[in-house]
Amino acid sequence: MADQSFVTLATNDSYVKGALVLGSSLRNHRTSKRLTILITPHVSDPMRKVLEKIFDEVKLVNVLDSGDAAHLALLKRPELGVTLTKLHCWELTQYSKCVFMDADTMVLSNVDELFEREELSAAPDPGWPDCFNSGVFVYRPSIETFNQLLQLATEKGSFDGGDQGLLNTFFSNWATTDISKHLPFIYNLSSISIYSYLPAFKVFGTDAKVVHFLGRMKPWNYSYDSKTKSVKDTQDPTMAHPEFLNMWWNTFVTNVLPLLQQHGAIKDTATGVKAEEVTEAVSHMSISSPAQSNPPPSPPPMSSEERKERWEQGQADYMGLDSFDNIKKKLDTYLQ
Ligand code: UDP
Ligand code: MN
């Protein structure tokens, strides 16, 4: 349907890789909806060209592109940068209904039925289930709502510093008012839940329709061996359930990599070498473009203080340092 669209967001070339996999997964599962991506000026030109191959609409947004009072006030809250960029999705008023999906999500089946839901429908957050997770949500574009959200951001900020805190404050009756706005968890299955409730994952995991690689380690931060079709587990030898990561990489290598090569979005040094080396190069690639002045670095090692802080902010490194197996090891040392 032309007036309904999936929407995602990428503010840099790393998240574009995620968005391209998400878009490919939606196409592979034959969505009948349009695909829209919001990007910011940091996204390089070759990447924009590739995005246009998969998305119907590539819309450039800029948080500070307007001189109105709300925007000016927000200049004083730089911490809300990416958060506010996500809010731009409410401006897509050419559509009557949209489903926003984080660039670190991927669909495992057709999920067009989500458009039967109303604003604001979302799945519970695994960390605090009375809040919804803002990685997947159904909404109705509206300039009025957009302005109200901006106003709330200006006046109160966000309790978690991100879009999820703000949206949960705005749609504050989500938890109690209308059960049809609670999306089943299988529409936003986060990696953390695999570890935190393994028996449930074993029973219900096969029904998953959307996986969400939330947390610090994103799929594109890993290396992939295309011969064995599996993620090379260099930093994290204890990773317990790499199935979804491997699916992400399989989609990347099959659907996205050829487009990146065609459009010169990866360095030429990658041609003429074995596929395995290409994919490894890609997983660590820095895209050669002057627009990309500060390519996002892979996550640096953390001090234990910093790690504790991240835990407290709900940003545990579930795929890596804080993976189930690592935590279990630690517990075992106490028990012995
Ligand atoms: N995002 C982005 N650039 C960034 C950080 C986030 O484009 O530097 C977008 C992207 O769509 C991402 C979403 O904002 O999926 C939410 O961030 P993220 O997925 O990293 O948060 P998490 O789900 O891990 O809490
Ligand atoms: Mn996410």
Side-chain angles (χ1 to χ4, degrees):
M1 250 211 274
D3 72 333
Q4 299 187 334
S5 183
F6 286 100
V7 178
T8 189
L9 161 70
T11 64
N12 57 51
D13 286 359
S14 292
Y15 277 91
V16 166
K17 287 188 250 174
L20 288 167
V21 167
L22 168 63
S24 301
S25 70
L26 285 161
R27 293 261 182 247
N28 290 344
H29 292 288
R30 310 234 169 280
T31 180
S32 66
K33 313 297 176 183
R34 287 173 61 90
L35 302 188
T36 302
I37 181 162
L38 307 176
I39 58 165
T40 54
H42 275 299
V43 173
S44 70
D45 284 336
M47 282 307 217
R48 292 183 198 196
K49 298 238 161 55
V50 177
L51 282 170
E52 278 162 12
K53 295 283 158 200
I54 291 182
F55 287 83
D56 298 297
E57 190 179 346
V58 179
K59 189 178 165 72
L60 185 66
V61 295
N62 193 334
V63 179
L64 307 171
D65 60 359
S66 157
D68 67 44
H71 280 102
L72 283 178
L74 285 163
L75 279 170
K76 296 189 198 115
R77 308 195 81 116
E79 81 281 6
L80 292 175
V82 173
T83 302
L84 293 171
T85 315
K86 202 183 218 182
L87 299 186
H88 278 292
C89 73
W90 262 274
E91 287 183 306
L92 298 169
T93 51
Q94 66 271 41
Y95 304 119
S96 64
K97 199 187 277 184
C98 294
V99 172
F100 182 92
M101 300 185 75
D102 268 8
D104 61 345
T105 61
M106 175 178 81
V107 306
L108 307 175
S109 62
N110 185 297
V111 293
D112 287 358
E113 69 271 17
L114 284 173
F115 288 83
E116 291 160 23
R117 307 268 178 161
E118 261 314 316
E119 176 171 283
L120 184 288
S121 294
D125 184 79
W128 194 269
D130 281 347
C131 287
F132 59 84
N133 182 278
S134 62
V136 177
F137 60 87
V138 184
Y139 73 100
R140 283 192 181 275
S142 147
I143 298 299
E144 197 187 340
T145 309
F146 176 69
N147 285 331
Q148 288 169 355
L149 282 163
L150 278 191
Q151 197 182 344
L152 180 66
T154 320
E155 286 168 5
K156 298 230 177 96
S158 161
F159 69 76
D160 66 0
D163 57 281
Q164 181 162 314
L166 186 76
L167 291 173
N168 272 278
T169 303
F170 191 81
F171 296 101
S172 62
N173 63 2
W174 173 85
T176 51
T177 306
D178 182 356
I179 194 69
S180 73
K181 293 183 178 175
H182 281 231
L183 296 181
F185 199 60
I186 52 169
Y187 288 100
N188 187 348
L189 175 69
S190 44
S191 10
I192 164 188
S193 311
I194 301 176
Y195 311 112
S196 57
Y197 199 177
L198 193 58
F201 174 72
K202 283 186 174 154
V203 181
F204 303 116
T206 49
D207 299 331
K209 289 176 184 260
V210 179
V211 286
H212 185 182
F213 299 95
L214 72 84
R216 199 168 60 97
M217 273 299 271
K218 299 303 185 193
W220 51 89
N221 297 131
Y222 292 85
S223 298
Y224 180 75
D225 183 340
S226 55
K227 265 196 246 128
T228 59
K229 290 196 188 306
S230 61
V231 168
K232 280 191 193 164
D233 213 357
T234 46
Q235 303 130 316
D236 180 9
T238 57
M239 193 165 53
H241 277 274
E243 298 94 318
F244 294 132
L245 259 185
N246 291 339
M247 285 172 76
W248 187 96
W249 268 100
N250 194 28
T251 308
F252 183 82
V253 170
T254 312
N255 300 124
V256 178
L257 191 57
L259 290 175
L260 293 178
Q261 284 165 331
Q262 265 169 39
H263 290 79
I266 53 172
K267 282 187 194 144
D268 266 357
T269 50
T271 55
V273 293
K274 284 194 232 93
E276 181 192 331
E277 284 158 357
V278 174
T279 57
E280 200 168 349
V282 168
S283 76
H284 296 293
M285 73 184 164
S286 58
I287 284 109
S288 47
S289 156
Q292 175 91 1
S293 48
N294 47 352
S298 43
M302 271 187 289
S303 69
S304 60
E305 225 1 78
E306 199 185 341
R307 186 171 156 207
K308 180 163 165 258
E309 220 166 78
R310 285 193 187 254
W311 255 100
E312 287 168 4
Q313 291 167 358
Q315 296 176 345
D317 179 16
Y318 299 107
M319 311 288 275
L321 278 175
D322 306 320
S323 70
F324 176 77
D325 281 2
N326 277 346
I327 291 168
K328 185 166 169 293
K329 261 193 217 147
K330 184 107 188 171
L331 288 175
D332 285 347
T333 62
Y334 288 128
L335 293 174
Q336 271 157 20

